[in-house]
Amino acid sequence: MLGKIIDGIVKKTWSDEDIQKYVGKFKYACLVYSTNADLRHYSASGGTTTAILISSLQAGIIDGAVVCKAVLLDGKVRAAFYIAKTPEEMMESQGSKYVETRFLAEVLPLIREFNGKLAVVGLPCDLKALKRWQEKDKTIGDKVMFTIGLVCGHNSKTDLIDKVSERLEKQVGSKLKSYRFRFGHWRGKIEACFENGVVETPPSKIFNDYQNLFFFSERKCLACYDHYAYDADITTGDVWLFRLKSDPVKKTGVIVRTQKGEAVFQNAVSNKAVMYEMLDVRDIMDGQSRIGPSHYNVSARSRVSKYFALKLKDPVGEKVKWHSWVNAFVTLANLRLSESKWGKKIIFLTPRPLLKAYLFFKKGLESLK
Ligand SMILES: Cc1cc2nc3c(=O)[nH]c(=O)nc-3n(C[C@H](O)[C@H](O)[C@H](O)COP(=O)(O)OP(=O)(O)OC[C@H]3O[C@@H](n4cnc5c(N)ncnc54)[C@H](O)[C@@H]3O)c2cc1C
Ligand code: SF4
């Protein structure tokens, strides 16, 4: 009940034109979850992405999927792409990796060397780049059967995860053995396993509060307006609606865009790998009502970029209201601060209640219509 009231208060009005520009072309949207509880355990939302991959593998639509997992490289948490050829290997990729990757550099050789049909999961910018390769290189184009794009607010540079993991290692007095950025319901928890056998599951906010303030954001995200993965066959993301907070099963918001996407989604439905209910795409947009429009508004970031010695083009021509201007200013200021040595020190010395208040201020700006 309370959830419905909060949703009603923050609800925005989305015109057909808004849907077209923010979401792009699509067939329909739905609220989905994997029917396999094991598969939902470490999933980012409802485990839908992995459920679609596994049911496509079992139906012979693909022989493997390009996915990524968190690995420890020289003791540092990183994301590495690989081709998963079994359901177990696909499950190893579950959960979101909030750390920069080298998508094309790692994924193109993997696809070229693979002998068979593939699905690819990726962030909107990476799938856009892959699409160009699918069109110009037949060896790539012929192998990629479909793509699943993840809704994406922005991604973070390695500095953030390095600092968070360094703090955890100091607390526990042991080196990390494995790391999950987030699992579990709603905002979820981190899972950090250490060489001395200790397993810590702190709340994901010890990472996400810095991330949501755009400290250590990748620079490319400032120029990006593709929140919902225009170029994917299927888009999957969280549905941050308060009415779903008390739902015992966390769900995925799915946007089915193309015929290929519909075929693989319906295959998962008919195999009972997923359960779904139809959803108005506006519900998904309401769940992203802060970050969706502010992500799209490159115009605001372009206007303030001159104050931060950056030159950002404006490809979208959005109106820049005062609050979008201030929000863009805060975003760029935070990103630039996190790029300097002294800035990093200030950020990590800031007491958490102050950081939280700053985050509420930023979220407030993002919520204004
Ligand atoms: C950097 C990032 C930012 C995101 N921002 C938002 C957001 O603002 N709003 C929102 O609603 N959702 C966002 N998501 C998407 C969301 O967190 C889930 O990934 C999505 O809901 C799918 O969940 P699932 O349970 O279906 O996937 P799972 O079954 O858990 O599978 C996760 C899949 O994601 C792939 N993956 C994980 N991280 C990466 C990565 N960095 N690059 C490429 N592939 C990856 C894995 O290979 C795996 O196939 C973001 C994800 C990432 C990685
Ligand atoms: S915000 Fe855009 S550029 Fe940044 S990681 Fe996401 S899709 Fe890529």
Side-chain angles (χ1 to χ4, degrees):
M1 184 63 187
L2 181 66
K4 275 194 178 165
I5 295 170
I6 299 175
D7 287 344
I9 293 169
V10 297
K11 196 171 174 60
K12 288 186 178 167
T13 310
W14 308 104
S15 65
D16 289 348
E17 199 190 310
D18 289 335
I19 297 174
Q20 181 58 34
K21 73 177 182 186
Y22 293 135
V23 180
K25 276 195 185 161
F26 71 103
K27 286 177 177 288
Y28 53 87
C30 27
L31 193 61
V32 190
Y33 65 96
S34 160
T35 51
N36 179 346
D38 290 343
L39 207 148
R40 291 199 304 271
H41 184 70
Y42 281 127
S43 64
S45 53
T48 307
T49 306
T50 307
I52 292 174
L53 296 179
I54 292 176
S55 64
S56 302
L57 180 77
Q58 287 167 342
I61 300 168
I62 52 170
D63 304 301
V66 177
V67 287
C68 80
K69 64 180 165 188
V71 293
L72 280 157
L73 283 180
D74 298 326
K76 309 264 189 204
V77 179
R78 298 290 179 262
F81 289 94
Y82 66 103
I83 294 182
K85 296 186 278 294
T86 64
E88 293 72 27
E89 286 172 0
M90 286 174 177
M91 285 171 75
E92 281 171 28
S93 76
Q94 287 203 277
S96 297
K97 286 79 195 180
Y98 300 116
V99 61
E100 60 190 299
T101 63
R102 295 167 59 247
F103 181 83
L104 281 185
E106 287 185 28
V107 166
L108 291 180
L110 284 173
I111 299 177
R112 285 203 177 101
E113 279 157 30
F114 188 74
N115 201 3
K117 299 172 287 182
L118 287 167
V120 180
V121 183
L123 296 172
C125 57
D126 293 330
L127 292 189
K128 182 180 279 311
L130 178 67
K131 193 176 176 190
R132 282 199 290 272
W133 278 94
Q134 283 173 265
E135 285 164 359
K136 76 174 181 191
D137 184 337
K138 214 171 139 36
T139 51
I140 304 284
D142 286 351
K143 287 183 195 172
V144 178
M145 297 294 111
F146 66 92
T147 58
I148 301 183
L150 308 173
V151 173
C152 179
H154 71 281
N155 208 358
S156 305
K157 293 200 296 192
T158 50
D159 305 46
L160 180 54
I161 182 59
D162 288 351
K163 184 68 191 178
V164 170
S165 38
E166 183 191 308
R167 276 181 170 173
L168 287 168
E169 286 180 336
K170 228 184 210 168
Q171 263 169 38
V172 174
S174 176
K175 290 275 166 207
L176 273 172
K177 205 171 75 177
S178 69
Y179 186 88
R180 285 183 192 274
F181 282 83
R182 181 147 90 184
F183 77 103
H185 209 331
W186 203 240
R187 301 294 176 194
K189 288 176 176 172
I190 287 168
E191 186 189 76
C193 302
F194 296 86
E195 285 176 356
N196 64 0
V198 171
V199 178
E200 290 283 328
T201 53
S204 65
K205 65 181 177 193
I206 66 162
F207 179 93
N208 291 117
D209 283 355
Y210 296 102
Q211 188 201 25
N212 291 337
L213 279 162
F214 278 76
F215 291 128
F216 309 100
S217 163
E218 286 193 85
R219 271 203 186 187
K220 66 175 180 178
C221 304
L222 295 179
C224 171
Y225 57 94
D226 188 356
H227 192 69
Y228 294 99
Y230 299 123
D231 295 297
D233 291 302
I234 293 178
T235 296
T236 57
D238 297 291
V239 187
W240 301 114
L241 291 177
F242 282 95
R243 68 179 148 91
L244 295 178
K245 197 174 176 183
S246 55
D247 189 327
V249 176
K250 192 175 178 186
K251 309 269 168 64
T252 313
V254 171
I255 302 171
V256 176
R257 294 181 177 278
T258 64
Q259 216 146 353
K260 282 192 222 168
E262 179 163 28
V264 290
F265 180 64
Q266 287 306 330
N267 172 63
V269 170
S270 60
N271 291 340
K272 298 196 168 41
V274 296
M275 291 290 279
Y276 79 105
E277 60 183 271
M278 296 306 282
L279 202 64
D280 187 332
V281 79
R282 290 175 182 83
D283 286 327
I284 293 183
M285 294 168 79
D286 275 335
Q288 312 276 332
S289 63
R290 281 188 303 99
I291 191 69
S294 62
H295 185 173
Y296 185 83
N297 200 338
V298 183
S299 310
R301 296 192 289 279
S302 164
R303 287 258 192 102
V304 301
S305 60
K306 59 181 177 220
Y307 302 113
F308 298 97
L310 293 170
K311 235 186 189 169
L312 275 180
K313 283 191 188 144
D314 173 10
V316 293
E318 278 285 272
K319 272 191 195 148
V320 181
K321 293 188 183 164
W322 70 267
H323 50 83
S324 309
W325 193 96
V326 180
N327 181 40
F329 192 93
V330 170
T331 302
L332 268 77
N334 290 358
L335 181 146
R336 293 295 267 154
L337 186 71
S338 62
E339 288 179 344
S340 69
K341 239 183 173 176
W342 60 271
K344 271 185 214 172
K345 274 196 186 146
I346 293 177
I347 292 165
F348 291 117
L349 282 173
T350 305
R352 291 202 57 81
L354 205 61
L355 205 70
K356 205 80 199 173
Y358 189 29
L359 183 56
F360 278 130
F361 168 67
K362 190 170 192 315
K363 284 186 174 181
L365 289 171
E366 290 169 356
S367 302
L368 292 173
K369 298 174 192 178

